[in-house]
Amino acid sequence: ELARISPDQLPALIVYTFNYRPSADLNKYAILINEIDATAIRLLPNMDLDTILRTLYAFLYLMPNWITRTDFYNAAMKHIIMGIAADTPKEKFVQMCFYLGLEKTRRATNVVSLSNFLNDNLESYIPTLPTLDFITVANAAFKTSTRLESNIYNNKLHF
């Protein structure tokens, strides 16, 4: 039945899977998670940024300590980094940074991508970021040991 699901329905299915977990056989549950992960990857090319972020949130809700181990997470990070538009709302930008920051230092290519992503886009968002959002972005940079060469960022960080 997963073959017929649309991309916008996938986050709700993932959240619903959380309710199935307590009574499920662990082997069947693992198979289900793997099938949902594979379905998410298959649907990724048809997802817009909002659907990708909602799907990531659903996976985070379902398995907070394992989200970075899913194939969808890794594919979504590449998709996010390549697909930021100039008119991306700051809320979406902060969410993107949050998910990129989950990577920590385990995968060097994603860390380099985060560095490039932030160096290319951060200065346009800094003036409008509330303190909590700025801290979320700074935390993502810190957790991934990302060095930012932005004077605007560094001045706000030290203020």
Side-chain angles (χ1 to χ4, degrees):
E1 297 301 316
L2 288 175
R4 296 187 302 189
I5 194 166
S6 66
D8 62 321
Q9 294 174 326
L10 187 61
L13 175 67
I14 295 168
V15 170
Y16 179 75
T17 304
F18 180 80
N19 297 329
Y20 175 69
R21 181 172 51 178
S23 61
D25 171 33
L26 290 179
N27 290 331
K28 289 181 182 179
Y29 189 71
I31 291 169
L32 176 63
I33 296 296
N34 288 332
E35 287 182 20
I36 290 174
D37 189 27
T39 300
I41 290 173
R42 181 179 54 78
L43 295 174
L44 182 61
N46 301 325
M47 292 182 182
D48 60 8
L49 179 59
D50 185 58
T51 305
I52 292 170
L53 293 173
R54 287 187 303 112
T55 304
L56 286 167
Y57 179 79
F59 272 118
L60 186 65
Y61 178 77
L62 178 63
M63 41 193 210
N65 296 332
W66 290 80
I67 185 174
T68 59
R69 297 179 188 184
T70 64
D71 293 333
F72 177 76
Y73 173 84
N74 294 306
M77 292 305 98
K78 292 174 186 160
H79 194 79
I80 281 175
I81 287 173
M82 299 302 174
I84 188 167
D87 63 345
T88 300
K90 69 179 177 197
E91 293 80 10
K92 301 275 188 243
F93 175 75
V94 172
Q95 288 178 33
M96 294 162 75
C97 291
F98 171 80
Y99 287 112
L100 288 163
L102 292 178
E103 193 57 45
K104 299 194 179 170
T105 57
R106 290 190 306 169
R107 292 185 187 91
T109 55
N110 284 353
V111 171
V112 169
S113 298
L114 175 61
S115 177
N116 293 339
F117 176 78
L118 288 175
N119 282 316
D120 292 346
N121 300 292
L122 183 59
E123 285 194 4
S124 63
Y125 289 97
I126 286 179
T128 61
L129 287 179
T131 303
L132 188 56
D133 290 346
F134 179 75
I135 290 169
T136 301
V137 173
N139 186 49
F142 173 76
K143 285 178 16 181
T144 57
S145 301
T146 301
R147 183 181 175 129
L148 298 172
E149 301 296 333
S150 166
N151 288 333
I152 296 170
Y153 171 80
N154 289 326
N155 288 338
K156 187 165 183 172
L157 189 62
H158 295 291
F159 183 64

